[in-house]
Amino acid sequence: MSTPQQPRGFRNPRGFGRARVSTSSRGRRSGTRYINPGNLNAAPGTNSHTTVPRPSATQGSARSTSTNSRRFAAPRNQYRHARATIRSSASMESGEDNLRDTASQDPVAYKQNVEEVFHTLRKKRDEERHHAIREGLLADPDKPTTLANAITIVGTCKDMCPEFERVERMLQKMVDECEKMANVSHSPQPDVRVPVQRRMVKRYRRPAAGNEEQLPSDIRPPPVLKKTLDYLINEVVGASEPLEKVHKFVWDRTRAIRNDFSIQQVTKPEDLRLAISCFERIARFHILSLHQLSGMPSFDNYQESEQLRNTLLSLMYYYDDSRRKFTSLNEAEFRAYCIILELEDQRPDLEDRAQNWALGILKDRRVQTALKLYAAAGSISGKRGPLPPPIALSLAQTNATRFFSLVQSSYVPYLMACVAETYFNQIRRTALETLWKAYKGKRGGNVKTEDWVVDDLKTVLGFDDEAEAQEFCEQHGFTVSERENGEAYIDLGSVAGTYLTDSLSNRKQKFSKRIVEQKKHGRTLPAVIDGLSVSQAQIRGLIEDASDRAESTLSDEESLFVSADMSGQQSNQNSAAGDPVSKGNRDTSSHICGWLNFFKIPAFRHSAKAIVERSERRLEQFRNR
């Protein structure tokens, strides 16, 4: 009986070239037939398969004389036995009580079984590669091709981790602890953790010379990628283990998810929606990790920032590709994150590039808040530019007081504050250097000054406590002394020279509890990664401790509404929204007031109101011309 041709792109999930046509429920009758893969290099359109009858118990002589039975039946039986042994030790079933610790009982037999399955899958993998190349599903590495004829791979893997990788990593003992389960069987070693295949997630492999190209069976389609990310966020990050223990695992697996999306180059609207949703959640995970794990010895801030930037860059491309197909509701949120991250960019033309964004995105409250943070944190002394001559930022204010006031206000949501936190020490150093140079020039040299107590500096520069502020000043060479009344102060005249001492350790991000963490309001990590507000998280039961939530944050999104103490400022901004001169007038006034309060000069502080009124009159005259 001839076998019908397999459709284009068909892949048997149990291995290419294997199929079983049974006439009974368990295939134990003599009428059961197996399909012989035959000649896989036969020409398309020809039947290269043969049907091999399975001998019954009474056909012992036929078994000894049948070439096909000796060739295919015995290896297949060994392969099934090995797979059954592995599945008993690395269970794919949902019930954890069915786990069998074969590895702890007989490690030698377990390794032999894994090796048998691995070699069998390896052969099937070679056959699948030849078939995919012949059918045009995969590019032939031995033949040159052009970019116009490039083949886009379509993933067919239905599991979180391809079967070949699962067996390979079990053989190489590269199974992560998050992919294991404590043994629940009655074995001599009940505390041994064994691999669980249903928990295994595809790991990231860096493309390198010598590595073979991934097969369609190695790549997961967008729905499977979303299912995998749901598992990582809800079951791994949301588990009882702290984030620092599972971070490395989730960091690597989310990178593999982004890689699978990139390889497939999704263009369908439904696939683009899934890609945007996944990349948004992955970006939030990196932002949250930057804040939650800051200051820990094992945490690499540079690598985390690098992956965040790569994720946001791909996300921006997805937004641009899908603009004419559908509207992305969260685009303004992530555009705002990109604005804050531009503080280290060498291109000083952010305001010009922002004009190319959609009008609704540019006028969004989060984007406008991010632009204010960018302007307040920008250095007026530093010049940037990839090409000479470098120029200064046109929006720069170097106003640390305004920056930290904005971050602490209800304008800035939790994740935006986490992004801004990466620049806290950099902004603190710039403000401290500006203050030091101002007092140095005013007093005419290294004169001892007692104007700044540690408590005031803690408030102005956004530290959690006085000890943190004192440590930061001492790292830059300043001396901390005490007044007669016992108050600690910073001696700004204790540092000689032209520039402050600086190092990478001084700029390393530190965890901010008073300004940043208090905006979390008890939400769980999965709730933050999914972008849920406080009220939405409370409805879904994703609040860790309701008592931690502030009384004043009962709105749908605490970070998108203005608190009572800023209602007057908000109304003034709304009234001046259509008047750019008036808007610039109020921004200039707040800028002047912030700096006068920052330097704490009594004469200027008493006349601040007169200065502001005079500047307002001049701007009004300029507008009426």
Side-chain angles (χ1 to χ4, degrees):
M1 183 181 68
S2 62
T3 305
Q5 287 290 319
Q6 297 175 348
R8 182 181 179 89
F10 171 80
R11 175 181 176 269
N12 189 345
R14 297 299 184 186
F16 176 75
R18 296 180 62 250
R20 173 174 171 177
V21 183
S22 176
T23 58
S24 64
S25 60
R26 296 190 177 271
R28 295 181 178 176
R29 299 181 184 178
S30 60
T32 302
R33 297 181 298 276
Y34 290 88
I35 297 178
N36 179 6
N39 183 13
L40 294 174
N41 296 323
T46 61
N47 183 15
S48 61
H49 301 277
T50 58
T51 303
V52 181
R54 179 175 180 177
S56 61
T58 61
Q59 294 175 330
S61 58
R63 182 184 296 112
S64 62
T65 58
S66 175
T67 303
N68 287 330
S69 296
R70 289 197 308 269
R71 182 178 180 183
F72 295 105
R76 184 180 294 109
N77 293 334
Q78 295 177 2
Y79 172 69
R80 286 176 179 169
H81 174 71
R83 282 177 60 90
T85 306
I86 294 175
R87 285 178 178 272
S88 65
S89 59
S91 177
M92 289 283 289
E93 301 296 332
S94 58
E96 297 182 0
D97 296 336
N98 296 330
L99 191 65
R100 299 293 183 267
D101 189 15
T102 308
S104 62
Q105 294 177 359
D106 192 357
V108 177
Y110 173 79
K111 183 177 180 180
Q112 291 177 352
N113 291 329
V114 174
E115 289 178 350
E116 291 178 5
V117 175
F118 175 77
H119 291 306
T120 304
L121 290 177
R122 187 68 184 179
K123 295 179 181 179
K124 303 292 184 182
R125 186 178 180 83
D126 295 337
E127 296 172 357
E128 180 186 357
R129 184 178 300 279
H130 293 316
H131 176 265
I133 293 175
R134 186 174 63 249
E135 295 294 328
L137 305 176
L138 195 66
D140 191 346
D142 298 329
K143 294 181 181 180
T145 185
T146 61
L147 184 61
N149 297 327
I151 299 176
T152 301
I153 303 178
V154 179
T156 60
C157 179
K158 301 301 181 183
D159 300 324
M160 295 191 300
C161 183
E163 183 181 17
F164 178 78
E165 180 183 327
R166 295 199 303 263
V167 178
E168 181 184 34
R169 290 204 282 126
M170 290 167 61
L171 178 63
Q172 298 174 353
K173 296 182 179 180
M174 297 180 61
V175 181
D176 193 272
E177 286 297 320
C178 296
E179 300 171 326
K180 295 180 180 180
M181 180 190 300
N183 182 32
V184 297
S185 63
H186 303 286
S187 67
Q189 300 178 3
D191 297 332
V192 175
R193 294 178 61 86
V194 295
V196 182
Q197 291 194 48
R198 62 182 173 84
R199 290 188 174 185
M200 295 182 69
V201 183
K202 179 181 178 181
R203 69 186 182 94
Y204 175 77
R205 286 192 176 184
R206 185 185 302 273
N211 291 347
E212 60 182 13
E213 185 179 1
Q214 295 189 75
L215 298 175
S217 60
D218 297 329
I219 301 174
R220 299 157 294 181
V224 180
L225 292 172
K226 181 184 180 303
K227 181 188 71 173
T228 304
L229 185 60
D230 290 341
Y231 168 78
L232 292 174
I233 300 302
N234 299 326
E235 303 298 332
V236 180
V237 178
S240 58
E241 294 290 339
L243 180 61
E244 58 267 22
K245 288 188 177 181
V246 301
H247 171 264
K248 184 178 180 181
F249 173 76
V250 180
W251 184 90
D252 179 84
R253 273 41 177 187
T254 53
R255 192 177 183 185
I257 290 176
R258 292 192 288 117
N259 188 52
D260 279 5
F261 271 116
S262 177
I263 291 175
Q264 297 179 87
Q265 300 180 10
V266 294
T267 56
K268 297 180 180 179
E270 58 272 15
D271 293 340
L272 282 173
R273 291 181 185 274
L274 292 177
I276 290 176
S277 175
C278 291
F279 274 71
E280 288 176 347
R281 298 169 71 191
I282 293 174
R284 293 192 187 105
F285 165 75
H286 289 304
I287 294 173
L288 191 62
S289 299
L290 281 171
H291 166 65
Q292 293 289 337
L293 304 181
S294 58
M296 294 188 176
S298 59
F299 179 67
D300 193 331
N301 182 277
Y302 176 79
Q303 289 187 354
E304 197 74 30
S305 300
E306 181 184 22
Q307 294 307 313
L308 171 60
R309 294 175 187 275
N310 293 339
T311 304
L312 290 176
L313 180 61
S314 301
L315 186 58
M316 296 303 113
Y317 286 133
Y318 280 126
Y319 285 147
D320 295 337
D321 294 341
S322 62
R323 195 168 307 282
R324 296 184 179 181
K325 299 179 181 179
F326 55 86
T327 302
S328 301
L329 300 179
N330 299 323
E331 182 177 356
E333 173 190 352
F334 292 91
R335 293 283 183 183
Y337 301 153
C338 292
I339 292 175
I340 301 176
L341 292 174
E342 290 277 346
L343 282 171
E344 290 183 342
D345 195 353
Q346 292 298 320
R347 297 173 297 174
D349 59 342
L350 172 64
E351 61 275 15
D352 295 335
R353 287 181 279 123
Q355 300 302 321
N356 297 326
W357 298 350
L359 188 60
I361 299 297
L362 187 59
K363 289 187 175 181
D364 188 88
R365 190 180 309 180
R366 291 163 292 187
V367 173
Q368 291 297 316
T369 302
L371 287 173
K372 293 179 181 178
L373 289 173
Y374 178 83
S379 175
I380 59 177
S381 59
K383 295 184 178 181
R384 303 178 184 179
L387 298 176
I391 60 176
L393 296 176
S394 58
L395 294 177
Q397 298 175 0
T398 317
N399 193 340
T401 304
R402 177 174 172 80
F403 176 83
F404 286 106
S405 298
L406 277 173
V407 174
Q408 197 170 5
S409 69
S410 57
Y411 282 103
V412 177
Y414 176 55
L415 288 178
M416 187 183 295
C418 293
V419 177
E421 187 189 42
T422 60
Y423 299 102
F424 277 10
N425 280 348
Q426 179 179 339
I427 296 170
R428 289 163 178 164
R429 184 194 179 280
T430 302
L432 188 61
E433 185 176 15
T434 304
L435 187 64
W436 168 63
K437 289 182 177 180
Y439 271 82
K440 184 178 180 180
K442 177 184 177 183
R443 303 298 172 89
N446 298 330
V447 182
K448 185 177 181 180
T449 58
E450 301 181 5
D451 293 350
W452 279 90
V453 297
V454 178
D455 183 65
D456 292 341
L457 198 65
K458 176 204 74 172
T459 304
V460 172
L461 298 184
F463 291 105
D464 285 345
D465 49 41
E466 295 184 13
E468 187 177 353
Q470 179 175 340
E471 179 185 2
F472 182 81
C473 294
E474 291 176 347
Q475 287 177 350
H476 289 83
F478 291 100
T479 301
V480 179
S481 305
E482 288 188 1
R483 293 177 177 175
E484 296 180 356
N485 57 2
E487 286 184 328
Y489 70 92
I490 306 298
D491 185 5
L492 296 175
S494 59
V495 176
T498 308
Y499 300 99
L500 293 179
T501 58
D502 192 15
S503 64
L504 293 177
S505 60
N506 295 339
R507 298 193 178 192
K508 189 175 181 180
Q509 180 181 354
K510 291 187 178 181
F511 183 84
S512 175
K513 183 178 181 180
R514 184 175 67 90
I515 295 181
V516 179
E517 185 62 17
Q518 58 91 16
K519 294 176 177 289
K520 185 169 176 280
H521 301 295
R523 285 173 290 181
T524 61
L525 299 183
V528 176
I529 295 175
D530 290 338
L532 301 181
S533 64
V534 176
S535 59
Q536 291 172 340
Q538 188 176 17
I539 293 174
R540 301 186 185 184
L542 299 178
I543 298 292
E544 295 175 348
D545 188 0
S547 61
D548 293 340
R549 187 162 55 88
E551 295 293 337
S552 60
T553 54
L554 299 178
S555 58
D556 182 65
E557 174 55 69
E558 80 289 348
S559 58
L560 299 182
F561 291 86
V562 185
S563 57
D565 57 343
M566 301 186 69
S567 59
Q569 181 180 354
Q570 176 66 20
S571 60
N572 292 335
Q573 289 183 352
N574 291 337
S575 61
D579 190 348
V581 177
S582 299
K583 184 176 183 298
N585 185 356
R586 291 180 174 83
D587 289 343
T588 305
S589 303
S590 61
H591 181 100
I592 295 175
C593 291
W595 267 114
L596 293 179
N597 291 329
F598 178 75
F599 280 104
K600 303 182 67 175
I601 302 175
F604 284 172
R605 196 166 61 239
H606 290 305
S607 60
K609 184 176 181 181
I611 296 174
V612 171
E613 291 177 353
R614 184 164 61 252
S615 64
E616 289 180 350
R617 287 196 301 269
R618 290 181 178 178
L619 289 173
E620 186 69 22
Q621 293 174 1
F622 176 78
R623 185 183 61 176
N624 294 333
R625 288 182 182 178

